[in-house]
Amino acid sequence: MTDHYLRGNARLSETHGMAQAAADAEFDLFVTGPVFLDIIFTGLQEAPVGGREVLTSGMGSSPGGVATLAVAASRLDLRTSLGAAFGDDMYGDYLWSTLADDEAIDLTTSRRWAGWHSPVTVSLAYDQDRAMITHAHNPPRTDDRTPPRPRARAAFADLAAERPDWVDDAIADGTLVFADVGWDPTDTWDAAALRSRLEGCHAFVPNAIEAMTYTRTDSPGAALERIRDWVPLAVVTAGSSGSYAADAESGETAWAPALTVPALDPTGAGDVFLAALVAGTLREWPLLQRLRFANLCAALSVRDFGGALAAPGWAAVCDWWEAVEPGSWLARDYAFLDDVLTTVEHRTYGRAVATIGFVGTQHDHPRHDASQPRRRDFRIADTGE
């Protein structure tokens, strides 16, 4: 047992104690980072090439960037606060109203900047993947316009380049910090530097390529064995190969298979996975249950286009569960939903729209014929926002 692992256990005990002190926090999740206007094209029959016009059958606009994580968390009933920069342009109007009014996300720590245009990403969904083109400038930096960080039970930190200043204070407050890194543009993949940035964080959730490259391993499972000593909760997402995790507090290790669904747009699936993982962690679910739920929510999100606005709420989870064949492996693995779905409010939510300014339509979740009995009925309330 290494000294680092012993230090990790000590930090785990301390973090757990502080998490108890944060139980009365105003929010369940604090998210900060750049927010983009995403314009998504789907139904491409071929990849764009120079000098040719390619027609597409689907288009939608949606909040993107870190807003995807915030929306996905809010739709799972986590009290969510987002700190981000917004322009004072039409795109900023759309993003702000969608997040604050439609998705009930607190924007107290966000700011709108005059004369600064909102970042825009065009996402091209093609061949079960997506390519993205982004136009953005850094927002103005003035300390006097940054409100205090709210207290939250959990928070998300992007540790790709440096450790944000607020992370140490959040950890001291008892906040469980979930960290991610993204692609290393320097191509150095310095594991020692990353471990230093992760100090005190509760969870690290890289994808398989990131995890294997940082750890110099050749499989997601091998990468997990390395990073499980870095943080109390280590998770590696591997797309169609499922997800792997190790929880130092409970001693659990787990692998959960991915779910196969008709995929339209994979944009934001990783953020939806993370939101569901946070929700399961705050509900103190067993590790395998958390992974299965996160895989399910990520899978449900790719059935629609729009990243953030494709994130499932509890109504979508309920509809999927009601359609599961009794006696199947899904019915066995997801039996915990029987209890969960009786404790949550089931809402439907707006989806991505082709033109900004249109009123978003509600998700067309399948509904049962009233003349046919339901195998399960968990719908407590359908407020139809």
Side-chain angles (χ1 to χ4, degrees):
M1 184 177 295
T2 65
D3 290 341
H4 183 80
Y5 185 76
L6 290 171
R7 290 196 300 272
N9 280 341
R11 289 197 310 272
L12 171 61
S13 177
E14 179 181 1
T15 300
H16 180 72
M18 290 188 296
Q20 297 300 313
D24 59 346
E26 183 180 0
F27 295 99
D28 296 311
L29 179 65
F30 172 64
V31 177
T32 184
V35 170
F36 298 81
L37 169 69
D38 280 357
I39 302 175
I40 308 100
F41 292 96
T42 62
L44 275 72
Q45 298 303 308
E46 57 183 316
V49 295
R52 294 183 58 188
E53 180 181 18
V54 178
L55 298 180
T56 179
S57 60
M59 173 184 170
S61 55
S62 168
V66 76
T68 304
L69 173 59
V71 169
S74 183
R75 290 186 173 191
L76 294 175
D77 290 343
L78 297 185
R79 300 166 300 165
T80 303
S81 177
L82 169 64
F86 294 79
D88 65 347
D89 49 17
M90 180 180 67
Y91 296 160
D93 292 342
Y94 164 76
L95 294 170
W96 188 281
S97 64
T98 298
L99 297 172
D101 300 334
D102 300 342
E103 302 296 336
I105 295 170
D106 176 79
L107 298 180
T108 302
T109 58
S110 293
R111 285 292 178 267
R112 301 198 64 174
W113 299 96
W116 179 73
H117 71 79
S118 301
V120 177
T121 292
V122 175
S123 178
L124 308 177
Y126 174 72
D127 195 24
Q128 298 184 338
D129 206 339
R130 81 274 191 218
M132 292 177 287
I133 304 170
T134 295
H135 177 72
H137 298 287
N138 290 330
R141 298 178 63 91
T142 56
D143 294 337
D144 61 338
R145 296 198 62 185
T146 302
R149 173 188 54 83
R151 291 196 63 189
R153 299 172 63 198
F156 167 74
D158 182 350
L159 302 184
E162 59 185 19
R163 182 179 170 110
D165 294 338
W166 60 266
V167 170
D168 287 336
D169 291 339
I171 293 171
D173 286 343
T175 300
L176 302 178
V177 176
F178 288 70
D180 199 358
V181 288
W183 191 259
D184 183 1
T186 69
D187 206 31
T188 58
W189 303 95
D190 187 338
L194 174 60
R195 290 176 68 173
S196 177
R197 296 197 297 273
L198 287 169
E199 186 73 26
C201 292
H202 177 72
F204 178 40
V205 192
N207 66 34
I209 297 300
E210 296 159 355
M212 290 188 293
T213 308
Y214 270 113
T215 59
R216 277 62 173 177
T217 54
D218 58 4
S219 71
L224 179 69
E225 285 302 309
R226 297 281 181 88
I227 68 173
R228 66 184 301 176
D229 288 343
W230 301 1
V231 287
L233 176 62
V235 180
V236 177
T237 61
S240 61
S241 297
S243 54
Y244 303 74
D247 188 327
E249 180 176 19
S250 65
E252 299 169 280
T253 58
W255 169 79
L259 280 72
T260 302
V261 298
L264 179 64
D265 177 15
T267 304
D271 293 310
V272 174
F273 177 98
L274 180 55
L277 179 71
V278 173
T281 299
L282 294 182
R283 288 173 172 264
E284 300 183 344
W285 290 351
L287 182 61
L288 182 56
Q289 192 167 304
R290 282 180 269 168
L291 286 189
R292 287 171 173 166
F293 181 65
N295 284 348
L296 169 61
C297 290
L300 294 180
S301 75
V302 306
R303 304 177 305 169
D304 204 349
F305 64 94
L309 300 187
W314 288 110
V317 173
C318 179
D319 287 333
W320 174 86
W321 179 229
E322 289 180 339
V324 168
E325 185 67 26
S328 66
W329 71 269
L330 289 172
R332 179 201 66 215
D333 286 359
Y334 286 87
F336 66 91
L337 290 177
D338 275 330
D339 294 328
V340 173
L341 290 170
T342 62
T343 66
V344 293
E345 188 174 5
H346 300 201
R347 300 185 182 94
T348 54
Y349 290 93
R351 60 188 297 176
V353 295
T355 302
I356 297 173
F358 285 1
V359 176
T361 57
Q362 296 174 1
H363 280 291
D364 294 322
H365 298 304
R367 292 292 183 255
H368 294 270
D369 185 335
S371 65
Q372 300 297 320
R374 290 185 174 182
R375 182 165 64 86
R376 307 181 180 92
D377 186 357
F378 301 100
R379 211 171 310 282
I380 298 174
D382 191 347
T383 58
E385 289 187 350

